[in-house]
Amino acid sequence: MAVLVVADHDNTSLKDNTNKTVTAALALSNDVDILVAGSGAKGVADAAAKIAGVRKVLLAESDSLGQGLAEAVEALIVPLMANYDAVLTPATSQGKNFSPRIAAKLDVAQISEIVEVIDGSTFVRPIYAGNALETVKSSDGKKVITVRATAFKAAGEGGSAAVEVIGAGPGAGKTTFVSQQLVKSARPELTAAKIVVSGGRAMGSAEEFQRVIEPLADKLGAAVGASRAAVDAGYAPNDYQVGQTGKVVAPELYVAIGISGAIQHLAGMKDSKVIVAINKDGDAPIFQVADYGLVADYKAAVPELMDALTAAGV
Amino acid sequence: MKVLVPVKRVIDYNVKARVKADQTGIDLANVKMSMNPFCEIAVEEAVRQKEKGVVTEVVAVSIGPVQAQETLRTALAMGADRAILIQTDADPEPLAVAKLLQAVIAQENPDVVIMGKQAIDGDNNATGQMLSALLGWPQATFANAIELSAGKATVCRDVDGGIQNVDVALPAIITADLRLNEPRYASLPNIMKAKKKPLDITEAASLGVDLAPRLSVVKVTEPPKRGGGIKVETAADLVNKLKTEAGVL
Ligand SMILES: Cc1cc2nc3c(=O)[nH]c(=O)nc-3n(C[C@H](O)[C@H](O)[C@H](O)COP(=O)(O)OP(=O)(O)OC[C@H]3O[C@@H](n4cnc5c(N)ncnc54)[C@H](O)[C@@H]3O)c2cc1C
Ligand SMILES: Nc1ncnc2c1ncn2[C@@H]1O[C@H](COP(=O)(O)O)[C@@H](O)[C@H]1O
């Protein structure tokens, strides 16, 4: 059985999600290749070749692949699947965009967001906002899988796979890239960060969100997250959203400030190692999952927390 | 311009799903069911495009049991013009749903399909992309803004790290993300009017699509429960616990 892993990258750097997906792939097979589809992405392919356990790296480059257009990525991968029994893609917004297309073209089910590999055809995946775990067995010949990267450890370095340049495929046809605006941030990436500080509706404004959440995140070297309510109200950008329909995070420490703990929010953070909640309502559902709860107004509690951190040498 | 909006009947988003004791699935007996929230957003968008005069007809379609008629009536009360139920008691997987929708599209010839990005029961986030691949129509997923004009749609998409703008030639598949709009509540007069709007029922079996599941469910279990936490009195206590007890600082 040979498995193809589709790399997560931004044409410049390889993302940790790729290493984690390789771990899931190695649970299926020893023959794991990585595909880097992009443009100007040779450096990404070289980085992928260093992941331990990888057999070969395929590099395909074109404008539409670099723009991540789903039709182009799918048209590249479907013919490659003649050589593979499974394709694993990190369940990022990009992976979710093209992976189901591959499944449809191969006439197989997609197995979405797996968190565990039981055997070559049996997988565990969360359903109903993570309120249940479903173990499914696939009867399809080829497996098309997206991987919830936070559920797997990152494969290490030490490999020295060859990089093979392949054709870019036919492109996207009826979809045209117009523009994109990506937020540049010096902070660690939300899904890979060791500590995440998230703010909720309680912040009341974008200014307040920045005034309260950002310095605490700076102090802890943390990524910043938000509840949907905070995103909806414009306090935080959309890609900060943690939850069932936002990003799934599982850091060592998750600090929820002024977040009530709706089912949909918990779905995105309840696998964090340690959860801290600061909320003035002692009955807020967030306290049911919090390891350490502080019932307090954040306006007083966050400055005190900053001071206590300083006092503790953080 | 004609819009088709696929809508799914699912557990209400406010209800916490409970795993059945025999681990065969989720207990849906006597549980409140509603339209999938992302499908509501899709219906709202189609109706707003009609109110703007860009769209002339909004057709809602649901694949599901006889009770999915209620979901379709909700879509009609929000402003859809007519509805189609593809009736089945099986709970088809996204691939089968996409194939059934493909069959409906062959009959209805819409210019654009606006649907949810994800159904909150299976959390698959797959059907729209599959439908696009099967039809050979372009796709724009996770839309937060849609502009329809003759022959094309300009869509702003939510992506990791920011936003992306794409143009898709029509006919096309668009999937709705949360920020696209805030769905309206149907007014009582509109709920009454919706009762008189046409709702056609077709047996799924008559569409010649193989509905057999490709994934068999071995078991459904509860996720591991988190151990009970504690309340701390002060921020200093908190930092102390994080340092000495949890070891995360
Ligand atoms: C289809 C769908 C998908 C969704 N997906 C997501 C998702 O991915 N992620 C997500 O987060 N949500 C999601 N939601 C929304 C979710 O249901 C909740 O509405 C949302 O999480 C609430 O955000 P919040 O906790 O910030 O706001 P609220 O629920 O309003 O909570 C605010 C909290 O702040 C506390 N507070 C107020 N003032 C203070 C103060 N001064 N000091 C301390 N505490 C204070 C209050 O006690 C309260 O608990 C989704 C909803 C739907 C329908
Ligand atoms: N049974 C169904 N009937 C109608 N539409 C559906 C059905 N299942 C899925 N869909 C559509 O596909 C979207 C994504 O669903 P999913 O791929 O299952 O997460 C939903 O928001 C609906 O618009």
Side-chain angles (χ1 to χ4, degrees):
Chain A
M1 185 184 196
V3 178
L4 185 66
V5 167
V6 187
D8 177 27
H9 66 89
D10 58 6
N11 293 312
T12 316
S13 59
L14 183 71
K15 301 279 156 79
D16 195 44
N17 285 330
T18 314
N19 304 54
K20 292 174 173 165
T21 304
V22 166
T23 299
L26 288 169
L28 287 171
S29 165
N30 289 325
D31 297 328
V32 174
D33 294 351
I34 297 184
L35 171 69
V36 175
S39 89
K42 175 74 172 55
V44 175
D46 290 341
K50 296 203 183 84
I51 299 178
V54 172
R55 184 176 69 171
K56 181 168 75 176
V57 175
L58 306 177
L59 172 64
E61 297 189 272
S62 73
D63 287 348
S64 50
L65 293 176
Q67 293 155 350
L69 295 181
E71 292 89 338
V73 181
E74 169 246 298
L76 168 68
I77 294 175
V78 169
L80 295 177
M81 289 308 292
N83 304 322
Y84 296 97
D85 304 294
V87 55
L88 271 65
T89 305
T92 59
S93 66
Q94 164 70 348
K96 290 175 187 172
N97 197 27
F98 66 76
S99 180
R101 301 182 59 88
I102 301 170
K105 287 285 174 76
L106 297 175
D107 195 35
V108 303
Q110 169 170 280
I111 310 161
S112 301
E113 296 221 25
I114 63 161
V115 293
E116 194 183 336
V117 176
I118 305 283
D119 62 37
S121 55
T122 315
F123 307 92
V124 181
R125 55 180 302 266
I127 54 174
Y128 288 84
N131 283 309
L133 292 171
E134 180 186 50
T135 305
V136 290
K137 193 174 170 61
S138 161
S139 60
D140 287 316
K142 294 195 192 276
K143 318 283 187 258
V144 175
I145 295 170
T146 60
V147 175
R148 180 170 289 188
T150 51
F152 296 89
K153 287 210 165 64
E157 300 266 285
S160 58
V163 176
E164 184 185 318
V165 174
I166 60 169
K174 300 169 194 159
T175 302
T176 320
F177 174 89
V178 178
S179 64
Q180 67 183 11
Q181 286 119 45
L182 301 183
V183 186
K184 285 260 172 286
S185 164
R187 292 182 192 290
E189 204 162 337
L190 191 49
T191 55
K194 287 210 161 42
I195 302 181
V196 173
V197 178
S198 286
R201 194 197 309 269
M203 297 303 116
S205 71
E207 295 71 35
E208 182 73 352
F209 190 96
Q210 272 173 15
R211 194 187 67 79
V212 174
I213 303 295
E214 306 268 338
L216 182 56
D218 284 340
K219 195 157 189 63
L220 291 168
V224 177
S227 70
R228 178 193 170 191
V231 168
D232 265 358
Y235 307 163
N238 177 63
D239 73 310
Y240 281 23
Q241 184 180 315
V242 171
Q244 180 185 18
T245 51
K247 290 191 172 134
V248 177
V249 301
E252 299 273 297
L253 173 62
Y254 187 89
V255 185
I257 302 176
I259 293 178
S260 62
I263 304 171
Q264 294 84 8
H265 189 80
L266 300 187
M269 44 64 79
K270 71 178 166 45
D271 293 327
S272 305
K273 189 166 156 242
V274 174
I275 296 174
V276 167
I278 301 176
N279 194 305
K280 70 175 182 191
D281 172 8
D283 293 329
I286 190 78
F287 288 122
Q288 288 162 21
V289 301
D291 300 284
Y292 302 107
L294 182 57
V295 182
D297 189 322
Y298 78 83
K299 289 192 175 102
V302 173
E304 281 166 24
L305 180 57
M306 295 283 285
D307 291 344
L309 285 167
T310 308
V314 177
Chain B
M1 195 179 291
K2 177 168 165 180
V3 182
L4 190 77
V5 187
V7 295
K8 187 175 187 188
R9 176 178 181 268
V10 298
I11 191 169
D12 186 86
Y13 84 97
N14 274 313
V15 177
K16 186 170 188 304
R18 302 223 177 270
V19 173
K20 281 190 201 165
D22 65 3
Q23 302 199 332
T24 55
I26 299 295
D27 191 0
L28 293 176
N30 303 317
V31 166
K32 183 176 180 212
M33 304 292 280
S34 301
M35 190 190 297
N36 178 40
F38 290 99
C39 300
E40 269 187 338
I41 296 170
V43 173
E44 176 68 31
E45 186 63 22
V47 171
R48 286 191 194 181
Q49 297 282 353
K50 188 177 172 195
E51 287 164 351
K52 272 199 250 167
V54 188
V55 162
T56 48
E57 189 183 24
V58 177
V59 182
V61 54
S62 191
I63 296 154
V66 65
Q67 296 90 331
Q69 286 186 56
E70 295 159 21
T71 314
L72 289 168
R73 290 288 171 206
T74 305
L76 294 170
M78 289 174 71
D81 297 294
R82 57 191 179 83
I84 303 168
L85 173 62
I86 307 297
Q87 197 173 323
T88 170
D89 285 329
D91 185 10
E93 292 171 357
L95 182 63
V97 171
K99 290 177 180 176
L100 290 167
L101 292 174
Q102 189 181 16
V104 172
I105 286 166
Q107 292 168 5
E108 291 287 333
N109 291 308
D111 299 281
V112 57
V113 178
I114 305 180
M115 54 202 287
K117 79 161 178 181
Q118 182 172 343
I120 61 160
D121 47 2
D123 281 334
N124 277 296
N125 194 331
T127 308
Q129 298 87 319
M130 288 181 157
L131 181 60
S132 158
L134 293 176
L135 290 164
W137 292 6
Q139 76 178 38
T141 53
F142 322 149
N144 66 48
I146 302 171
E147 205 179 300
L148 294 173
S149 53
K152 80 166 190 190
T154 300
V155 179
C156 184
R157 308 180 53 236
D158 280 332
V159 296
D160 288 339
I163 53 166
Q164 180 188 60
N165 294 291
V166 294
D167 277 351
V168 286
L170 299 184
I173 309 292
I174 302 175
T175 76
D177 215 320
L178 286 172
R179 283 197 302 165
L180 183 56
N181 59 49
E182 235 177 89
R184 70 193 65 192
Y185 290 101
S187 67
L188 197 56
N190 284 340
I191 292 171
M192 300 312 288
K193 260 197 256 164
K195 294 194 170 139
K196 300 204 184 73
K197 289 185 181 175
L199 191 164
D200 289 331
I201 300 178
T202 303
E203 283 295 325
S206 73
L207 292 174
V209 170
D210 176 15
L211 300 179
R214 308 298 184 82
L215 303 177
S216 59
V217 176
V218 179
K219 61 176 179 180
V220 175
T221 56
E222 269 189 46
K225 284 233 177 345
R226 292 190 72 91
I230 58 160
K231 295 247 169 78
V232 293
E233 292 301 321
T234 65
D237 283 353
L238 176 59
V239 171
N240 186 31
K241 295 269 189 222
L242 290 177
K243 244 189 136 153
T244 55
E245 198 172 272
V248 289
L249 286 184

